[in-house]
Amino acid sequence: MSGESITAQNLRQVLISVAQKIIEQESYLNSLDAAVGDGDHGITMRLGFQAIIRKLGELDPQIPMDIMLREVGTAFMGATGGAIGVILGRALIAAGNALQGSSEMGATEFRHVLGAMEVAIATAGKAKPGDKTILDAVHGANRIGRVALPNLD
Ligand SMILES: [Mg+2]
């Protein structure tokens, strides 16, 4: 593999950092949800990401990244109700499955992860690109990956 890649230790740090950022934004996410729904999205995301941090603390520090992602996906799903728990949980599990046996994640593996997450989100959420859902972000990242990064590996 050429270029940059991240290890399971790096991935653990990324997950914790993302989780902390999401947890900090609980009130903001609730306010966004209140405009169109029942105003609990921040609570749901906090519960899910707290479960991810808790799970990462329980897991063996040497755990491979594929198992790590499946474990945190399962933890997220178990801690949250509603559609987003299933959608993000399945997306994380799909990311783990896409990394089966990989000790590092470089550009190639990351494209596999994004592709697997897009399929998982589209399937779990019954969404299509352009429906103004979380799928649009992953689909956009996939599209950029295909268009702009074709020769990284
Ligand atoms: Mg809600």
Side-chain angles (χ1 to χ4, degrees):
M1 181 193 312
S2 64
E4 304 259 333
S5 63
I6 69 169
T7 64
Q9 308 307 323
N10 301 141
L11 179 62
R12 177 189 296 264
Q13 289 162 356
V14 167
L15 287 168
I16 290 171
S17 177
V18 168
Q20 288 169 340
K21 292 278 188 282
I22 297 282
I23 291 166
E24 284 169 15
Q25 297 300 320
E26 177 179 356
S27 296
Y28 179 58
L29 293 171
N30 281 339
S31 71
L32 292 177
D33 189 27
V36 293
D38 53 6
D40 66 351
H41 187 62
I43 297 169
T44 305
M45 293 295 268
R46 171 176 57 75
L47 291 172
F49 280 97
Q50 283 175 334
I52 284 179
I53 291 175
R54 209 161 40 240
K55 177 56 71 178
L56 288 170
E58 293 166 7
L59 293 174
D60 184 326
Q62 304 302 320
I63 199 164
M65 55 175 55
D66 56 335
I67 299 174
M68 184 191 302
L69 283 165
R70 285 197 290 267
E71 289 280 348
V72 298
T74 302
F76 189 96
M77 211 182 310
T80 54
I84 195 65
V86 175
I87 290 168
L88 273 185
R90 284 193 191 170
L92 287 164
I93 292 167
N97 290 340
L99 287 172
Q100 185 87 40
S102 301
S103 57
E104 297 195 342
M105 177 162 45
T108 301
E109 291 81 10
F110 190 53
R111 280 198 292 270
H112 293 161
V113 163
L114 285 172
M117 291 179 91
E118 180 168 348
V119 171
I121 292 168
T123 304
K126 298 180 174 52
K128 300 183 303 296
D131 286 350
K132 298 188 176 177
T133 71
I134 187 174
L135 181 65
D136 289 350
V138 180
H139 181 74
N142 265 323
R143 198 173 150 273
I144 290 165
R146 282 195 292 271
V147 172
L149 305 172
N151 298 314
L152 282 187
D153 53 347

